[in-house]
Amino acid sequence: VVTVVLKDEVRPVKIEVTSRGFARDENAPAFFTKIEAEVKRFLLENEASTRTNREETTRQLRKELTKFVAKQTFRHPLIMPVFLRF
């Protein structure tokens, strides 16, 4: 689960990655930091669509993170982006 807390519809305030075992324990913090960086990069590149089309943004983020995680770990975990706005 990738939880993204947004302020003003697009600026991430907090990004949290929760895993149930697809990353090894000793490598998890560094790997999660890479995932967080990918989420930030994605949001910056897709700022306009994040404001207008939340479903498409969620789908695209899931697709991007699935590719990223598969390339890094050779695994295909279920990725669930969750956006919280305040």
Side-chain angles (χ1 to χ4, degrees), residues 31-80:
F31 185 59
F32 291 169
T33 301
K34 289 179 183 179
I35 292 174
E36 291 169 7
E38 282 295 306
V39 172
K40 287 178 185 176
R41 180 196 60 74
F42 175 84
L43 291 174
L44 286 174
E45 290 178 2
N46 297 282
E47 184 175 336
S49 68
T50 300
R51 289 181 190 271
T52 58
N53 193 341
R54 293 177 185 162
E55 285 183 30
E56 181 63 23
T57 300
T58 301
R59 190 171 353 151
Q60 285 295 98
L61 179 58
R62 179 182 299 117
K63 184 178 176 182
E64 292 287 323
L65 289 178
T66 298
K67 288 180 191 177
F68 177 78
V69 170
K71 186 176 180 182
Q72 298 288 318
T73 66
F74 303 105
R75 294 183 182 197
H76 301 277
L78 173 66
I79 297 178
M80 297 175 17

Side-chain angles (χ1 to χ4, degrees), residues 5-19:
V5 179
L6 297 174
K7 184 175 183 178
D8 300 332
E9 295 290 321
V10 289
R11 289 186 297 157
V13 175
K14 182 178 181 181
I15 299 170
E16 183 177 313
V17 179
T18 306
S19 169

